[in-house]
Amino acid sequence: MAFSKAQWPRRLRSQEWYSGTSRDAIYHRGWLKNQGYPHDLFDGRPVIGILNTWSDLTPCNGHLREIAEKVKAGIWEAGGFPVEVPVFSASENTYRPTAMMFRNLAAMAVEEAMRGQPIDGAVLLVGCDKTTPSLLMGAASTDIPSIVVTGGPMLNGWFRGERVGSGTALWQMSEAIKAGEMTPDEFLEAEQAMSRSSGSCNTMGTASTMASMAEALGMALSGNAAIPAVDARRRVMAQLSGRRIVEMVKDDLKPSDVMTRAAFENAIRTNGAIGGSTNAVVHLLALAGRVGLDVTLEDWDRLGRDVPTIVNLMPSGKYLMEEFFYAGGLPVVLRSLLEGGKLHGDALTVSGRTMAEEVAEAKNWNEDVIRPVDKALTAQGGIAVLKGNLAPDGAVLKPSAASEHLMVHRGRAVVFEDIDDYKARINDEALEIDETSIMVMKNCGPRGYPGMAEVGNMGLPPKVLRKGIKDMIRISDARMSGTAYGTVILHTSPEAAVGGPLAIVQTGDFIEVDVPNRRLHLDVPDAEIAERLAQWTPLPDQPQSGYARLYLDHVQGADTGADFDFLVGCRGNEVPRESH
Ligand code: FES
């Protein structure tokens, strides 16, 4: 498509940098021309930033420079001017203490990269868990037209004839070693089979969940979430998205037009239908805060409660993302929700069409992978939000990954003060614990860890595993990997490190869990709880400087998304003042 100025109904923000003959315009244009750009590229066409989370140390996004080339082709075709911009990339499998500690830093960096540079529209190139929410949060806070392109999942892993799901197999195999059912050499052999291709985790873990959330929010083109990273159609999706973002800039279709309350309700229900990660709770709460919407934990419980989980993928089910794609992918799920009256069909998407229009023709090619509602994996999917004197501000549990027989349970607490205490004692044969006990871990929340690590799915003690027991109730203020499973109660708020009731639980206390009634109760007299809380002293607050200090001073609770208090909301994209 040839570019014509007449196409553009208004002056674009990039022209504040590039138009005219002023000293500043020549400074901005002239330096960029050292890349070999002809002068007529600065004639008013939209500059599209391809915000790329590629990094050699973010292996799930290791192929995104190749994908970026396809995005660029689409932008050129539609008459835009593509610029590839590297942005902060927080890898789930590499960053310590945990990638979550850097989600807000990445979001802040992306927001400033968009506002402070001549970008009229953005393609968010993401994949690994935190890269998707962080870029969406940054884009939401600038409200510059944006579209998500994910890198896509890895191909299925296969080991000795069985599917090997990213993460899920890691948890299963490490338990099997503890139970004496697998050797370390076999584990090493399985490692070679886990990650066969480029792409993100192939289970319905956090990366696949967040890709699905982006699509359900309407922020990605229909069908984007499930296309495998190495499938040619992933490249086609990238090119089409490049073409589309240019049109979005022309139409001034902004994140705030797409990410409405209806879009968030669609995403929450979709998460129930796909058996998505509990991490979606914190990310969507934080994202809603960026667009100024009051989405709450209660919304998660209310909207997800009657949504059956129909996607038969690990960790809740059997298959992997490759099969989800072959079965028709997310549009099939969205159509099922729509037909069940559980989707706002009029929600706008980045395509410019409504959600109902996008999914109207979706077809299910494998009803064991994407189940009909009457053959759902779990009749009540979604996220259960438990409250009570142990979690006054809420805690979350994923019923589709939990054990039915533990949904109502009273058990004796075995308490670990932090992750190090857990690691030091869990393998001790003298530990007083059995399968009826409730494992409790403290100080792993946003402030406590710090960073709210994915350690909530504590492995079971070997002496319980040797009995063939696969699940016990575990409670903490931590998160859990989206690839993990079990009756794991997470995000307990307020967290222990700020003096939440979790901080004063002692080994030997009894805890009552009642998921159907959404109750989490510490069976200790109120006066005793008050006395213990009065005696509680906070942990030493370290460190005193650097990003970690900023994080500790400003991170909010998991119940509102663990965003920084000063980053909540949209600050717009007014062009900053010239600096020279
Ligand atoms: Fe990157 Fe799972 S570790 S997607």
Side-chain angles (χ1 to χ4, degrees), residues 144-276:
I144 287 173
S146 300
I147 190 169
V148 170
V149 177
T150 52
M154 291 186 268
L155 296 176
N156 282 9
W158 289 98
F159 178 62
R160 298 184 175 177
E162 300 285 333
R163 287 176 187 78
V164 181
S166 313
T168 304
L170 198 63
W171 316 126
Q172 289 166 337
M173 289 175 186
S174 58
E175 299 278 87
I177 284 181
K178 278 205 254 177
E181 296 164 357
M182 188 178 195
T183 68
D185 280 350
E186 288 171 323
F187 201 12
L188 195 61
E189 195 183 332
E191 179 193 328
Q192 318 300 326
M194 277 179 197
S195 306
R196 289 175 53 221
S197 77
S198 304
S200 49
C201 288
N202 55 22
T203 42
M204 187 51 82
T206 304
S208 300
T209 299
M210 291 311 298
S212 301
M213 294 296 91
E215 189 172 329
L217 282 166
M219 287 298 292
L221 291 182
S222 186
N224 171 77
I227 308 170
V230 295
D231 194 295
R233 286 161 283 189
R234 172 61 55 194
R235 275 96 185 128
V236 173
M237 175 60 69
Q239 190 156 340
L240 295 176
S241 301
R243 289 182 191 169
R244 179 60 200 156
I245 186 64
V246 178
E247 295 301 312
M248 286 173 65
V249 174
K250 183 178 172 187
D251 297 341
D252 199 23
L253 181 56
K254 304 181 294 297
S256 60
D257 299 320
V258 175
M259 289 194 281
T260 59
R261 179 155 188 102
F264 278 91
E265 294 193 356
N266 284 348
I268 290 170
R269 287 197 159 121
T270 302
N271 190 66
I274 63 175

Side-chain angles (χ1 to χ4, degrees), residues 60 92-93 128-129 200-201 207:
C60 314
E92 196 60 35
N93 46 56
C128 195
D129 298 16
S200 49
C201 288

Side-chain angles (χ1 to χ4, degrees), residues 409-414 436-440 473-475 511 513:
H409 182 78
R410 184 174 190 274
R412 174 182 170 274
V414 176
T436 67
S437 307
I438 294 181
M439 296 164 69
V440 175
I473 294 183
R474 288 152 273 180
I475 301 175
I511 294 174
V513 175

Side-chain angles (χ1 to χ4, degrees), residues 217 259-268 280-303 558-561:
L217 282 166
M259 289 194 281
T260 59
R261 179 155 188 102
F264 278 91
E265 294 193 356
N266 284 348
I268 290 170
V281 178
V282 278
H283 297 325
L284 260 61
L285 290 175
L287 182 58
R290 296 301 186 101
V291 289
L293 289 171
D294 186 25
V295 176
T296 64
L297 270 182
E298 283 67 33
D299 290 320
W300 274 92
D301 193 79
R302 178 178 58 82
L303 294 163
D559 57 311
T560 56

Side-chain angles (χ1 to χ4, degrees), residues 366-398:
N366 187 331
E367 292 197 345
D368 194 34
V369 177
I370 307 174
R371 300 274 186 89
V373 168
D374 60 357
K375 295 195 180 102
L377 235 58
T378 310
Q380 295 206 322
I383 300 289
V385 178
L386 311 184
K387 286 199 171 180
N389 66 353
L390 189 49
D393 293 338
V396 305
L397 172 113
K398 179 173 161 182

